[in-house]
Amino acid sequence: MSINSISPVDGRYGSKTKDLSPFFSEKALIGYRIKVEIAYLQKLSENGIGGLRKFTQEERKILDSLPLIADEDAEVVKSIETKGYKDIPATNHDVKAVEYFIKLKLKDTSMADVLEMVHFALTSEDINNTSMALMIRDAVNSIMIKYIEDVYSALYKIAHENKNLPMLARTHGQPASPTTFGKEILVFVNRLKEEIKVLKDTSIFAKLNGATGNFNAHSVVYPDIDWYNFSELFIESLNNDLKCGASDFMKSVKINIKFNPVTIQIEPHDSYVRIFDSFKRQNMILIDLCQDIWRYISDGWIKQKAVKGEIGSSAMPHKVNPIDFENAEGNFGIANALFSFFGMKLPVSRLQRDLTDSTVQRNIGVAFAHTMVGYQSLLKGLSKISIDNNAILEALLDTPEVIAEAYQNILRAEGVDKPYELLKEVTRGKDVTIDDFIALADRLSVSENVKSKLKSIRPENYVGIAAQIVDKFDPVI
């Protein structure tokens, strides 16, 4: 952690977000650009395009090692871009700097004869959009899915363990028909499941078709090559090293990249936005969860473990604040603000190209980093809570009026005249007890069986099939 960092994702939260550095740092971007350039050069060689010879096994090893850059290599690339390096003048162009770096690395090898096929017929956006697609793909598959799964699994465990715990529900903040704690948590599990299913069915598009998307330079030099097919096969071959960190509930969750044949100079980024929107919706679900958990803590239904040495308030020694859930909520909110902006900005380009998307894309990792901090804070918070069954049950028993719904519907079925209005008169705005309901049942003109049924109803057993809903839920995605 650097105390001088401007962004908290590299400063205060640096230890929490470091696993994203191999995907979204400046060094990572350089490495991915080299990877795409080298993969393209190798594909040209494999197809013998332009008479390019087949590389030897040793040459392929050299090429495969180039993207695995050290910090010193990344600094060389930055020097080529900004101030020049050795006999290479400053390019003031980041992708051109990568091209020159590759040529610098190859010029003293047996591949000195193929240097000018590096970046052949490409525009920088061919490299950039493909690199960014790989960066997002790998970060999601290797890092983000693991955290989604951990949150999903933790919530499902809580839901299943508390499926039978009766709980007062609230609509509009007021007492409502009882539920169970487990079923209420399952609502969030189910919502996440649906969003994860959307995510796993989403692909990221990439293009490799030249300066305005028409293979102009490619086809004028080598008109007999099917460049459309070549580009499609090249883009989709990059999925051969597809990474996925999912397991257990989500063994098959992964996203890949696909070829987009119809573009301007840039790939329009619509598929990026679909990924971002999926994370944004997941984050909104978790914000909703954090706010509910916060309320349950405030009501005393959930207890937090006090951590030795930890201070809840600088003024009030007794406090154990729900800081993990508040931190998660805040970070999910910041991430969503960025994801929303990406969704508005990245699909928009003036005519065939403007550069406004370039600087915006450099912040994609920041949005994922805040999401990642949110996951970690939420998981930490969930690991420190315990459900106070007695407090939850006591709150439910203190609100017997919630069985009014049961009474009025039983009476409807028995043909009693205006039962809703009857129960409204008896309960609305009044302090009622179970004895009041029993007395009401006794004076109703209904059969003894119906009276017995009414008298058997208690807030704690009026939970419908909440537990069954939890049991029937299939957590596998």
Side-chain angles (χ1 to χ4, degrees), residues 223-258:
D224 296 331
I225 301 295
D226 184 348
W227 287 106
Y228 186 111
N229 183 61
F230 173 91
S231 187
E232 181 174 19
L233 292 175
F234 169 70
I235 292 292
E236 300 199 358
S237 73
L238 296 173
N239 287 313
N240 292 338
D241 63 346
L242 189 63
K243 301 174 182 177
C244 184
S247 60
D248 297 335
F249 291 145
M250 294 179 281
K251 291 178 181 177
S252 63
V253 176
K254 61 181 180 292
I255 60 173
N256 58 18
I257 61 172
K258 287 187 177 180

Side-chain angles (χ1 to χ4, degrees), residues 39-76:
Y40 175 66
L41 181 65
Q42 289 179 314
K43 187 64 71 173
L44 291 175
S45 169
E46 290 169 12
N47 288 270
I49 292 177
L52 187 62
R53 62 180 176 80
K54 293 286 194 296
F55 296 135
T56 67
Q57 184 176 356
E58 188 60 33
E59 287 173 334
R60 290 197 298 271
K61 286 182 179 178
I62 293 172
L63 292 171
D64 290 340
S65 69
L66 286 183
L68 306 175
I69 57 173
D71 290 353
E72 295 77 13
D73 295 317
E75 291 295 342
V76 170

Side-chain angles (χ1 to χ4, degrees), residues 217-426:
H218 300 74
S219 58
V220 75
V221 179
Y222 300 117
D224 296 331
I225 301 295
D226 184 348
W227 287 106
Y228 186 111
N229 183 61
F230 173 91
S231 187
E232 181 174 19
L233 292 175
F234 169 70
I235 292 292
E236 300 199 358
S237 73
L238 296 173
N239 287 313
N240 292 338
D241 63 346
L242 189 63
K243 301 174 182 177
C244 184
S247 60
D248 297 335
F249 291 145
M250 294 179 281
K251 291 178 181 177
S252 63
V253 176
K254 61 181 180 292
I255 60 173
N256 58 18
I257 61 172
K258 287 187 177 180
F259 173 58
N260 185 350
V262 186
T263 75
I264 49 178
Q265 183 177 102
I266 65 169
E267 201 288 322
H269 310 314
D270 299 325
S271 63
Y272 294 11
V273 177
R274 284 190 281 273
I275 297 289
F276 301 153
D277 281 354
S278 179
F279 277 96
K280 186 172 71 173
R281 290 191 297 270
Q282 291 175 52
N283 288 349
M284 282 307 307
I285 292 167
L286 295 178
I287 286 173
D288 195 15
L289 168 75
C290 287
Q291 291 184 352
D292 278 11
I293 296 292
W294 189 96
R295 174 63 190 267
Y296 296 148
I297 292 171
S298 177
D299 287 344
W301 295 5
I302 290 178
K303 302 297 184 186
Q304 298 181 99
K305 297 175 185 175
V307 178
K308 187 175 182 180
E310 193 173 273
I311 293 172
S313 167
S314 62
M316 295 169 281
H318 68 283
K319 296 191 73 179
V320 183
N321 292 331
I323 56 174
D324 296 312
F325 299 102
E326 292 171 339
N327 181 277
E329 180 182 342
N331 275 285
F332 290 139
I334 293 172
N336 279 8
L338 288 169
F339 284 140
S340 293
F341 176 67
F342 298 157
M344 292 186 291
K345 171 66 208 89
L346 291 180
V348 178
S349 177
R350 295 173 180 86
L351 302 179
Q352 281 67 50
R353 175 63 162 139
D354 70 51
L355 203 61
T356 54
D357 66 327
S358 179
T359 189
V360 172
Q361 289 182 88
R362 290 179 179 275
N363 289 278
I364 288 173
V366 178
F368 281 114
H370 280 291
T371 299
M372 187 173 171
V373 174
Y375 291 151
Q376 293 177 46
S377 294
L378 176 56
L379 287 166
K380 182 180 178 183
L382 292 174
S383 73
K384 291 162 53 180
I385 63 172
S386 60
I387 315 303
D388 192 329
N389 295 28
N390 292 332
I392 291 177
L393 187 58
E394 182 181 347
L396 178 58
L397 296 179
D398 282 345
T399 54
E401 62 269 25
V402 295
I403 66 172
E405 179 194 42
Y407 266 59
Q408 65 104 354
N409 277 289
I410 290 172
L411 297 180
R412 281 176 186 265
E414 291 298 316
V416 174
D417 187 43
K418 297 182 178 179
Y420 176 89
E421 289 74 13
L422 171 63
L423 269 297
K424 177 182 174 183
E425 178 64 30
V426 170

Side-chain angles (χ1 to χ4, degrees), residues 102-153:
I102 293 172
K103 290 179 177 178
L104 184 66
K105 286 289 188 178
L106 296 181
K107 73 174 186 176
D108 295 325
T109 72
S110 60
M111 288 175 281
D113 61 319
V114 302
L115 295 188
E116 289 311 317
M117 292 303 287
V118 175
H119 203 71
F120 168 74
L122 301 182
T123 182
S124 60
E125 185 57 20
D126 289 325
I127 301 302
N128 276 338
N129 92 97
T130 309
S131 298
M132 186 58 65
L134 292 172
M135 292 162 73
I136 295 171
R137 182 202 71 177
D138 290 350
V140 172
N141 288 337
S142 300
I143 303 295
M144 303 305 292
I145 281 178
K146 177 185 180 298
Y147 279 102
I148 297 167
E149 178 179 20
D150 287 347
V151 170
Y152 183 83
S153 299

